[in-house]
Amino acid sequence: MIDSAFSDATLVDDPQEGAIRLHGPEGFAGMRKAGRLAAEVLDMLTPHVVPDVVTLDLDAMANQFVRSRGADVATIFYRGYSHSLCISVNHVVCHGIPSAKKLKDGDIVNIDVTVVVDGWHGDTSRMFLVGDVALKARRLVEVTHECLLRGIEMAKPGNTLGDVGHAIQRYAEQHRMTVVRDFCGHGLGQVFHDAPNVVHIGKPGKGVPLRPGMFFTIEPMINLGRPEVKLLDDGWTAVTRDRQLSAQFEHSIGITEDGCEVFTLSPAGHRAPPYRF
């Protein structure tokens, strides 16, 4: 049936997830614009992610950049959050809050941004290496990026979300790393967080079947140590329980007739660090 509140989207019912929106050409066009701007934010920040930069300053730069493009930041005022970015350093798994803290030589950092362009959400995150980073931390970042790519490779009609999660889990565990279970990817489009949930572990052939028009994020969080996390008292910041390092990459994608389209590819050609600029 047609959902008149969501342009050219239709709804399909899944026994596990409930109603999932399937989008048409208008949705793909909207997501391309939103995804590109989100990626441009990270491209703009890249030369500034260096030792001694204050994370609040990065947040302000991102906000100014998005506003200058006539767009909005999705996270400001979202469930009480008040920043443009999530900046997660070292053992912070996700949702790190920008502050007066400075980045240090040797840090690894995830920067996550979601923008809204003409009502469409572009959501992406990328890892950054700050100065001289230890080999094990670099390896974690490399494995995490490859996990993202392997998940995206499985995102096509005829496969399931279980296939996506299995590809991520298998690669991480082959390298003696673990997948965070407490957080997952999500549907998006004209809604920030929508069905389906995209869990980064799974069994082949299980879970939600992938259909053309589905929009969602794939955003694996990979730990050097155990997968368990805990939430800090601020209600947002999630950290590894064993204080081992964690890394994450995220793309927003749309399922096409024969594969998927990644909406948040870097216009500057950045994929995984070290980035050249």
Side-chain angles (χ1 to χ4, degrees):
M1 73 180 167
I2 300 295
D3 184 349
S4 60
F6 289 87
S7 58
D8 63 347
T10 62
L11 291 176
V12 297
D13 288 323
D14 181 87
Q16 300 173 63
E17 293 286 340
I20 296 176
R21 301 182 209 281
L22 303 182
H23 300 83
E26 182 180 331
F28 276 84
M31 289 298 288
R32 288 184 194 114
K33 292 179 181 179
R36 181 181 178 91
L37 179 59
E40 287 175 342
V41 173
L42 299 183
D43 286 349
M44 178 274 296
L45 291 173
T46 296
H48 303 285
V49 185
V50 294
D52 294 326
V53 70
V54 175
T55 57
L56 264 177
D57 290 344
L58 296 175
D59 188 71
M61 289 173 8
N63 184 274
Q64 182 179 22
F65 184 84
V66 174
R67 301 296 182 191
S68 73
R69 300 299 184 90
D72 294 311
V73 179
T75 49
I76 294 180
F77 306 126
Y78 180 77
R79 297 183 178 178
Y81 198 75
S82 57
H83 296 280
S84 302
L85 304 173
C86 292
I87 301 180
S88 303
V89 184
N90 294 332
H91 73 290
V92 178
V93 175
C94 61
H95 304 157
I97 301 174
S99 68
K101 180 179 178 179
K102 295 180 179 180
L103 297 180
K104 303 188 303 296
D105 184 70
D107 284 343
I108 60 170
V109 185
N110 178 269
I111 299 181
D112 190 336
V113 62
T114 306
V115 303
V116 187
V117 179
D118 299 329
W120 296 94
H121 291 74
D123 188 1
T124 188
S125 80
R126 203 179 295 169
M127 291 300 298
F128 296 82
L129 307 178
V130 182
D132 186 14
V133 174
L135 180 60
K136 69 175 183 178
R138 287 176 177 267
R139 185 58 180 153
L140 170 65
V141 171
E142 291 171 358
V143 169
T144 304
H145 186 254
E146 183 62 25
C147 283
L148 173 67
L149 296 182
R150 291 184 178 228
I152 290 172
E153 185 178 8
M154 300 304 293
K156 55 188 175 182
N159 283 354
T160 67
L161 286 178
D163 294 313
V164 173
H166 177 73
I168 292 168
Q169 180 181 8
R170 182 181 182 189
Y171 190 78
E173 292 177 354
Q174 282 176 343
H175 291 83
R176 303 187 179 220
M177 299 177 191
T178 61
V179 181
V180 171
R181 271 72 164 165
D182 297 72
F183 298 95
C184 62
H186 54 89
L188 82 169
Q190 290 175 292
V191 177
F192 189 176
H193 292 95
D194 205 354
N197 290 319
V198 181
V199 181
H200 302 111
I201 60 172
K203 295 181 179 180
K206 301 296 184 180
V208 176
L210 299 181
R211 303 177 177 91
M214 292 174 65
F215 294 167
F216 54 85
T217 69
I218 301 177
E219 46 184 298
M221 287 147 271
I222 308 299
N223 293 349
L224 270 182
R226 295 185 56 81
E228 293 82 9
V229 308
K230 66 176 181 179
L231 193 65
L232 299 187
D233 291 341
D234 60 31
W236 284 101
T237 308
V239 301
T240 56
R241 282 194 172 272
D242 59 10
R243 297 189 67 84
Q244 292 275 359
L245 295 175
S246 186
Q248 178 189 23
F249 284 89
E250 175 184 14
H251 274 313
S252 298
I253 72 168
I255 302 298
T256 64
E257 293 294 334
D258 57 0
C260 72
E261 179 176 348
V262 181
F263 299 123
T264 46
L265 291 174
S266 162
H270 298 322
R271 289 169 58 85
Y275 306 116
R276 307 301 179 193
F277 51 87

